[in-house]
Amino acid sequence: MKIGSVELPSPFAIAPMAGMTDTAFRRLVKRHGGCGLVVTEMVSSEGLIRGIDRTLEYAEYTEEERPISIQIFGGHPEKMAAAAQVVEGMGADIVDVNMGCPVPKIAKHNAGCSLMREPSHAAAVIDAMARAVKIPVTVKMRAGWNDGDRNAPTLARMVQDAGAAAIAVHGRTAEQSYSGSADWDLVARIAADVTIPVFGSGDCIEPEQIIERMRSGVQGVLVGRGVLRNPWILAQAADLAAGRPARLVTLEDRGRFLLDYIELLLHERVDESRMVSHDRWVVNKLRALGSWYTKGLENGSHLRTAINGAECLQKVRDTIATFFSSEAAVSLR
Ligand SMILES: Cc1cc2nc3c(=O)[nH]c(=O)nc-3n(C[C@H](O)[C@H](O)[C@H](O)COP(=O)(O)O)c2cc1C
């Protein structure tokens, strides 16, 4: 599959997730295989233009993550075009526009999902960006702002005409936030209607669901929370797509993933002036991932509580090592 001229080795991708899909996490998922595209956490167009260190940190990536898409948010056409040029200058393969974030802090600035409330303006943003850069410009949207305005099909066509090279649709409205379930019928209708590739997003927790969703006619599937619970889900979906049984993941593998994540985070560049200490930042990152990773895991709540209660990084490491070695032979599939 291709987005513009960018070839994706697989149609399965990690969805952008603020606070979660940092470069260390993306690298580890990618190393397990099956992942055709990674997207950064959303970064501010203003911050990119002004060269704010913290924004640039969120946009950092490594070569092994390619093809890499940097997601930006903002609502001003010229500023979004300038930010796209910064992204292109950073060497990213794709620049993605967030039109799905329902959080008031973002939406009130005419960015995120509030762009869906003004489709002509949203299309003007894409038009300005597509004229400003050579790399593909893509859009990630929701079903619409609320149930009375599920306008993703209209907006999809408009951004396609404005120059978008692909779109991703999370089949919930902004008002729904994460309640209810994603409307994949809507996603399928959009995929049938536009000529650019469409990624569907929402509620794939098992690799079989990813394969099932591909049958609805989308060109790709973005997986968010399912990857946080099971970073092998894309590799397992690739196994199934190739006609093989999904690979087994042992508890030992799952423990190793968290320990490897700690090691990579320890070598990340972070703006120390903001941090109590680098170790403390790593502990907080492990707590954030732990709240998802332990879901669906036997006695997962015990591990979650233990990580949250660990007072230092070494204690987090010990907790993980002990928990996952206790039944190392047990597989999860
Ligand atoms: C913690 C979290 C952070 C997210 N941050 C972003 C973001 O920065 N940009 C974005 O477009 N979507 C974001 N999303 C939405 C996901 O990309 C995805 O579309 C949504 O979670 C539905 O897919 P899922 O059911 O596979 O998680 C976020 C979701 C979660 C759970």
Side-chain angles (χ1 to χ4, degrees), residues 252-267:
E252 194 182 358
D253 294 333
R254 289 185 60 92
R256 170 57 44 207
F257 184 94
L258 291 180
L259 295 173
D260 287 347
Y261 186 47
I262 291 175
E263 286 317 306
L264 289 184
L265 289 174
L266 278 173
H267 294 97

Side-chain angles (χ1 to χ4, degrees), residues 27-102:
R27 255 177 282 160
L28 284 180
V29 173
K30 185 110 199 194
R31 283 176 196 173
H32 291 300
C35 174
L37 178 69
V38 303
V39 190
T40 63
E41 313 173 57
M42 60 178 176
V43 297
S44 152
S45 52
E46 290 274 349
L48 283 178
I49 299 166
R50 289 204 232 130
I52 310 254
D53 283 351
R54 194 168 179 180
T55 307
L56 295 170
E57 249 171 46
Y58 286 136
E60 268 174 11
Y61 65 89
T62 54
E63 287 302 308
E64 67 175 292
E65 291 170 59
R66 287 193 190 280
I68 173 96
S69 170
I70 294 183
Q71 188 187 66
I72 64 175
F73 67 88
H76 192 286
E78 282 78 43
K79 287 183 181 172
M80 289 291 276
Q85 286 173 336
V86 176
V87 167
E88 186 171 52
M90 290 174 78
D93 300 294
I94 295 168
V95 57
D96 184 54
V97 179
N98 183 314
M99 293 194 192
C101 185

Side-chain angles (χ1 to χ4, degrees), residues 234-313:
L234 304 180
Q236 289 171 327
D239 288 337
L240 295 175
R244 298 185 293 265
R247 68 197 60 188
L248 294 177
V249 180
T250 64
L251 279 180
E252 194 182 358
D253 294 333
R254 289 185 60 92
R256 170 57 44 207
F257 184 94
L258 291 180
L259 295 173
D260 287 347
Y261 186 47
I262 291 175
E263 286 317 306
L264 289 184
L265 289 174
L266 278 173
H267 294 97
E268 283 309 300
R269 184 179 75 81
V270 280
D271 179 1
E272 293 289 340
S273 60
R274 278 187 289 117
M275 307 296 167
V276 185
S277 73
H278 198 115
D279 275 17
R280 176 52 48 192
W281 175 75
V282 176
V283 169
N284 289 340
K285 293 290 286 182
L286 263 289
R287 286 181 181 164
L289 180 59
S291 69
W292 300 98
Y293 199 81
T294 53
K295 285 199 172 94
L297 193 62
E298 207 175 324
N299 293 325
S301 62
H302 296 177
L303 176 62
R304 189 156 61 242
T305 309
I307 293 177
N308 289 343
E311 65 278 2
C312 65
L313 187 55

Side-chain angles (χ1 to χ4, degrees), residues 82-265:
Q85 286 173 336
V86 176
V87 167
E88 186 171 52
M90 290 174 78
D93 300 294
I94 295 168
V95 57
D96 184 54
V97 179
N98 183 314
M99 293 194 192
C101 185
V103 176
K105 197 173 77 175
I106 305 291
K108 81 174 177 212
H109 291 299
N110 203 14
C113 201
S114 67
L115 278 172
M116 293 194 76
R117 306 177 87 175
E118 293 180 63
S120 313
H121 182 74
V125 168
I126 300 306
D127 180 66
M129 292 173 67
R131 287 173 195 280
V133 293
K134 292 197 181 65
I135 55 173
V137 177
T138 61
V139 176
K140 180 153 178 289
M141 62 179 77
R142 282 190 174 235
W145 181 259
N146 59 26
D147 240 1
D149 199 8
R150 299 168 74 82
N151 66 344
T154 309
L155 183 65
R157 243 175 287 122
M158 290 175 74
V159 295
Q160 169 179 273
D161 294 346
I167 54 174
V169 184
H170 172 201
R172 286 185 175 83
T173 63
E175 203 167 81
Q176 266 183 298
S177 189
Y178 291 91
S179 66
S181 48
D183 181 351
W184 278 85
D185 291 339
L186 180 91
V187 177
R189 277 210 308 281
I190 296 169
D193 192 41
V194 297
T195 53
I196 53 177
V198 173
F199 285 83
S201 165
D203 305 336
C204 291
I205 297 299
E206 300 293 339
E208 290 80 6
Q209 293 170 314
I210 300 175
I211 302 300
E212 185 59 37
R213 293 312 185 189
M214 285 296 287
R215 295 203 182 101
S216 71
V218 292
Q219 280 75 36
V221 175
L222 287 183
V223 185
R225 293 164 296 178
V227 178
L228 302 179
R229 286 165 76 131
N230 171 19
W232 292 265
I233 189 171
L234 304 180
Q236 289 171 327
D239 288 337
L240 295 175
R244 298 185 293 265
R247 68 197 60 188
L248 294 177
V249 180
T250 64
L251 279 180
E252 194 182 358
D253 294 333
R254 289 185 60 92
R256 170 57 44 207
F257 184 94
L258 291 180
L259 295 173
D260 287 347
Y261 186 47
I262 291 175
E263 286 317 306
L264 289 184
L265 289 174

